[in-house]
Amino acid sequence: MYDFTIVGGGIVGLSTGMALGKRYPQARILVLEKESQWAFHQTGNNSGVIHSGIYYKPGSFKAKFCRDGRDSMVKFCQEYGIDHEVCGKVIVATNGQELPRLENLYQRGLENGIEVQKISPEEVKEIEPHVKCVAGIRVFSTGIVNYKQVCLKYVELIQQQGGDLRLNTKVLKICPSGKNHVLETNKGNFETRFVINCAGLHSDRIAKLGGVQPSAKIVPFRGEYYELTPEKRYLVKTLIYPVPNPEFPFLGVHFTRMIDGSVHAGPNAVLSLKREGYKKTDFDLRDFAEVMTYPGFWKLAGKHADEGIQEIIRSFSKAAFTRSLQNLIPEVQAEDLVPTHAGVRAQALMDDGKLVDDFYIVPGENSIHVCNAPSPAATSSLEIGKAIAAQIPQQSHLENAVIA
């Protein structure tokens, strides 16, 4: 019998396991992951950015968890010797029409308590000599890290706490057993008093297995990246972002210097025809049919038809992708770019076509379901884990336990 069982071995599930182990040292904790590696999906294919929190609505969970999470992530990396760098980033307006949005973003940064600075085109060039713009803002607290390395440290710490971690273990059913749950998996059954669902791309399905009906469905969006050839990496010193369209849920193609020194360019954002579809040819009939028959998707697609068409064009046209990058760095040419790995974002979408723009955590009967935790979840992972652990005393058999 386990006290807590976490479904999903990405960065949120692992951080939750670690937080529970710290809060309840006596508890028996189990983490189940269906893949052969930890952090295999969203965590292992993200851009490796330690976000500042500048983009998120003041007062939202994303804004608070990201700002606090950025500090705790940097501290964690320092404590455990994980390679990282607080390099900062620039967000630039490439034409006059973007200036009001840049100003709004600057004000939002101030509201969120982030150190931001307005900078002129000349000052941008002092940081990023190859960028062409009409204005910019500098965000000092943004950093870079390898989140897979972070996750492996989380795993190590959970093991030191006495936690039980199982790879290659897929949850097939969740059955009530009195006040407990029995998780039926391909590796046998596990009985637990409390379930924490951190299944990412499958979080809505796991919630339904546990008798919870979330008011949103996961729709997968693939983000495709190129990488600058080694001889062109000098074009990018830190991180370079465009001004995002506040009506569109993605940040636009940008340049990211990775912790290994490589430079990634992207991503675009296109509907994936499979929840774990990292290639254009990946297809799953169930996943595809669920999206195509979901009214919320068609409402979203109708609202953002123009942007969606541009994203699809960029997906199939390297020339179009290159032109988007040239808005930031005119020197970039198609021959400077080579394809690299894609990522798939688990985005929760409501029936009315509105994207869930904050972290979405749904309580159940002796269970908690994290049903929307896209970017900046990796940055925020330590704070999300602590927040989930703090919710559990009101709902579990450990309500009166001594908290370490």
Side-chain angles (χ1 to χ4, degrees):
M1 168 75 76
Y2 290 94
D3 295 303
F4 303 110
T5 295
I6 298 160
V7 181
I11 199 166
V12 173
L14 293 170
S15 66
T16 301
M18 190 171 63
L20 287 169
K22 288 181 179 178
R23 192 175 180 92
Y24 302 110
Q26 307 297 324
R28 293 195 67 209
I29 297 170
L30 172 66
V31 183
L32 302 178
E33 168 55 49
K34 68 183 178 65
E35 304 294 350
S36 60
Q37 302 172 36
W38 304 109
F40 189 79
H41 288 293
Q42 290 188 99
T43 306
N45 293 287
N46 70 18
S47 61
V49 176
I50 303 174
H51 288 284
S52 65
I54 190 170
Y55 299 109
Y56 311 116
K57 183 179 178 180
S60 65
F61 287 122
K62 276 189 176 182
K64 174 175 171 34
F65 286 168
C66 187
R67 185 187 64 242
D68 296 345
R70 177 263 165 203
D71 293 338
S72 55
M73 180 59 66
V74 170
K75 183 179 178 181
F76 183 88
C77 292
Q78 291 171 341
E79 181 177 356
Y80 292 104
I82 297 170
D83 288 343
H84 70 290
E85 181 184 350
V86 182
C87 56
K89 77 174 178 181
V90 293
I91 304 171
V92 298
T94 58
N95 59 63
Q97 292 179 329
E98 294 177 344
L99 289 174
R101 296 209 307 249
L102 186 69
E103 175 64 25
N104 290 340
L105 196 59
Y106 172 76
Q107 295 298 332
R108 174 162 285 192
L110 295 179
E111 288 182 69
N112 284 336
I114 296 161
E115 185 182 3
V116 291
Q117 177 187 16
K118 292 182 181 179
I119 50 179
S120 67
E122 294 74 25
E123 290 169 319
V124 170
K125 281 191 173 295
E126 291 177 8
I127 303 164
E128 294 290 351
H130 302 277
V131 168
K132 183 180 179 182
C133 66
V134 296
I137 57 178
R138 187 176 187 180
V139 185
F140 293 90
S141 58
T142 301
I144 51 176
V145 73
N146 183 328
Y147 282 117
K148 273 196 171 182
Q149 290 181 7
V150 172
C151 284
L152 291 178
K153 179 55 67 172
Y154 287 178
V155 168
E156 182 183 325
L157 294 172
I158 293 170
Q159 290 171 330
Q160 290 175 7
Q161 294 166 352
D164 188 359
L165 298 110
R166 307 284 185 97
L167 292 167
N168 299 303
T169 307
K170 182 177 181 179
V171 174
L172 305 173
K173 289 184 179 180
I174 301 176
C175 304
S177 178
K179 292 184 177 181
N180 303 327
H181 304 276
V182 174
L183 279 67
E184 297 182 10
T185 79
N186 60 322
K187 294 293 182 70
N189 296 349
F190 301 91
E191 188 169 3
T192 186
R193 292 189 170 94
F194 202 94
V195 173
I196 302 102
N197 165 18
C198 299
L201 285 157
H202 299 279
S203 57
D204 55 341
R205 292 173 176 172
I206 294 295
K208 290 176 182 178
L209 290 181
V212 171
Q213 296 293 327
S215 57
K217 181 183 289 293
I218 293 295
V219 175
F221 288 92
R222 184 173 61 255
E224 297 162 333
Y225 288 87
Y226 285 91
E227 183 178 344
L228 285 181
T229 57
E231 59 271 19
K232 292 293 185 176
R233 290 175 180 173
Y234 72 88
L235 292 172
V236 178
K237 306 297 182 187
T238 57
L239 291 82
I240 305 164
Y241 282 65
V243 182
N245 179 351
E247 299 299 318
F248 197 54
F250 306 103
L251 296 179
V253 293
H254 50 268
F255 292 94
T256 305
R257 178 169 289 280
M258 311 292 279
I259 197 65
D260 64 2
S262 63
V263 177
H264 284 196
N268 65 340
V270 293
L271 177 69
S272 176
L273 305 184
K274 181 181 179 182
R275 291 205 181 191
E276 295 164 2
Y278 298 100
K279 300 176 183 177
K280 292 182 178 69
T281 54
D282 287 343
F283 177 82
D284 181 272
L285 181 58
R286 178 191 179 191
D287 295 348
F288 177 71
E290 278 192 4
V291 173
M292 291 297 105
T293 57
Y294 186 51
F297 170 73
W298 292 108
K299 292 173 184 175
L300 176 73
K303 181 179 179 182
H304 297 291
D306 291 343
E307 294 95 336
I309 290 169
Q310 291 304 312
E311 297 288 343
I312 293 170
I313 291 171
R314 271 199 292 264
S315 178
F316 287 93
S317 169
K318 186 178 183 180
F321 203 109
T322 303
R323 285 194 295 272
S324 295
L325 296 171
Q326 287 171 335
N327 288 332
L328 299 172
I329 300 181
E331 293 171 60
V332 170
Q333 301 298 316
E335 58 267 27
D336 302 331
L337 303 169
V338 292
T340 187
H341 70 85
V344 178
R345 171 179 175 143
Q347 176 63 59
L349 179 62
M350 308 289 282
D351 289 347
D352 61 4
K354 292 181 180 178
L355 293 161
V356 179
D357 63 358
D358 205 354
F359 298 135
Y360 178 41
I361 299 174
V362 183
E365 184 67 29
N366 287 328
S367 63
I368 287 178
H369 302 267
V370 182
C371 291
N372 193 59
S375 180
T379 301
S380 311
S381 59
L382 289 164
E383 302 305 314
I384 295 173
K386 287 189 290 187
I388 291 172
Q391 286 186 34
I392 287 173
Q394 291 84 40
Q395 305 175 53
S396 79
H397 68 290
L398 291 174
E399 184 173 357
N400 299 314
V402 176
I403 298 175

